[in-house]
Amino acid sequence: MRLKTFTSKTLPETMALVRERLGDDAVILSTQEIDGAVKVTAALDDEFSPELEQQARRTAAEWVTELAELLEAHRVPNGLADRLLNAAVHAGASDQEEMLVTALVSVFDFAPLRFRKAGQAKPAPLLMMGPPGAGKTATAAKLCAQARLAGQAAHLISMDTVSAGAREQVTAFAGALGVPLSFAETASHLSGVVAKIPSDRLIVIDTMGANPFVADELSALAGVVQAADALGLLVQPAGGDALEAAESALAFAEVGARLFVPTRLDAARRFGGILAAAQAAQLSIMAGGVSPSLGSGLSPLSPRGLAKLLAPHWSRQAATDDDFLPATGTFQ
């Protein structure tokens, strides 16, 4: 039995590819919606032979073995690695990258960077949270830049009014981007600032770094999230210890983190911490910080984009805009 995977924008288009390549006798084994596209796995029964099936099984086993080695190289915790490997065994993929993509989709949730269409309800403010030095201010500025590029008005609020150079940095970012900037020192003050911002603007709130293992700091952060009725976005650098990253993410999830933006992807080589944090805290992977540039330094991570990050040598071509979901419309 020869398995092949076909992907297109819609199910009819994908089915047309199946019939064109395999004919009317093709058997549909599965259909999946991934990143706004439809993937169909099909087989041709009349080409079945024991030799081909045995070869396919040997190849799949080799791929799974290589995936196990890859996950170990990225320092992925054993329990999470086992979940990914079990998903890979049943992937029925046509190549290694497709196997990894399918495994990632089965374990992780993705909330790609998109923007609301005109007329949709006002989105919840996005509130940056994370440890000191994680890149929250830069990420907040990058989100505003993405919004501006997509034609969405944005408003930046900073609550970091005491860190050395923080006010100057965020002021410079806002000036470079041409977005309004407000400051708020307390949760009650923040609530009033948010209430005055026009409903057509994406509100991005930058906060001071918080130690995830200090209860008082987390409690204060929870009050800020509640006051702004905000959606918490964890900003955490890549490349750290996976177990430490997972414990930190769990702490921030308890006070409202729902989305995840790993930063410094360009300065790390082991990404087990990203996977461990997202899985342990059940965070939706939204985007990745890939460079210091404000205009292009934030890439919305799709499952395929994450697969290319983990195993670039498995891809037949370099990552393109099709592997990341472009920001269009207005933020949702």
Side-chain angles (χ1 to χ4, degrees):
M1 179 178 291
R2 182 164 59 93
L3 299 181
K4 289 190 71 67
T5 300
F6 302 87
T7 304
S8 190
K9 293 181 179 179
T10 65
L11 181 58
E13 290 178 2
T14 311
M15 291 301 298
L17 286 175
V18 173
R19 301 307 178 196
E20 177 185 343
R21 303 287 178 82
L22 298 183
D24 293 334
D25 293 328
V27 177
I28 306 304
L29 300 179
S30 67
T31 61
Q32 266 186 308
E33 291 190 11
I34 299 177
D35 301 345
V38 178
K39 184 185 77 172
V40 173
T41 301
L44 199 56
D45 281 337
D46 61 2
E47 293 190 6
F48 170 82
S49 74
E51 293 79 10
L52 285 176
E53 183 179 31
Q54 187 176 14
Q55 177 59 41
R57 287 178 178 174
R58 281 200 301 268
T59 300
E62 290 171 0
W63 291 349
V64 172
T65 299
E66 290 183 18
L67 176 58
E69 294 172 353
L70 177 76
L71 296 177
E72 183 178 1
H74 280 290
R75 305 296 189 266
V76 177
N78 291 336
L80 176 54
D82 287 343
R83 288 189 62 184
L84 289 166
L85 290 171
N86 286 333
V89 168
H90 299 95
S94 58
D95 59 49
Q96 284 175 289
E97 184 180 73
E98 196 67 34
M99 177 188 68
L100 178 54
V101 170
T102 302
L104 292 172
V105 169
S106 71
V107 175
F108 298 100
D109 183 52
F110 293 82
L113 180 59
R114 289 177 175 167
F115 294 85
R116 283 188 305 125
K117 295 180 180 179
Q120 289 183 339
K122 180 180 179 180
L126 289 178
L127 186 142
M128 310 296 105
M129 59 174 66
K136 295 180 297 300
T137 302
T139 300
K142 291 173 183 180
L143 284 168
C144 289
Q146 293 280 1
R148 289 294 306 275
L149 290 172
Q152 164 75 62
H155 193 116
L156 182 58
I157 302 174
S158 175
M159 297 195 71
D160 190 356
T161 59
V162 297
S163 298
R167 182 180 288 264
E168 291 77 11
Q169 182 188 42
V170 74
T171 299
F173 283 158
L177 296 171
V179 299
L181 171 65
S182 300
F183 290 92
E185 296 183 358
T186 64
S188 59
H189 186 195
L190 174 64
S191 180
V193 172
V194 169
K196 295 177 182 178
I197 296 175
S199 61
D200 64 338
R201 293 184 182 177
L202 168 65
I203 300 174
V204 182
I205 304 168
D206 184 29
T207 65
M208 290 184 60
N211 186 328
F213 309 117
V214 176
D216 288 346
E217 294 188 22
L218 287 180
S219 178
L221 186 58
V224 170
V225 173
Q226 184 175 8
D229 193 19
L231 186 61
L233 190 157
L234 174 61
V235 179
Q236 194 161 271
D241 176 77
L243 296 180
E244 190 82 14
E247 290 181 5
S248 175
L250 278 168
F252 284 110
E254 289 181 0
V255 296
R258 298 295 178 266
L259 302 173
F260 182 34
V261 173
T263 55
R264 303 177 191 165
L265 298 182
D266 55 326
R269 291 296 177 269
R270 294 179 178 86
F271 301 111
I274 294 176
L275 303 184
Q279 188 267 337
Q282 298 183 342
L283 300 175
S284 297
I285 299 173
M286 181 180 180
V290 294
S291 82
S293 169
L294 292 185
S296 60
L298 194 66
S299 289
L301 281 178
S302 71
R304 189 169 301 279
L306 182 55
K308 290 184 184 295
L309 182 70
L310 294 168
H313 55 292
W314 284 358
S315 180
R316 296 181 181 177
Q317 58 184 11
T320 68
D321 288 342
D322 292 335
D323 298 318
F324 304 105
L325 299 184
T328 57
T330 55
F331 193 82
Q332 63 182 4

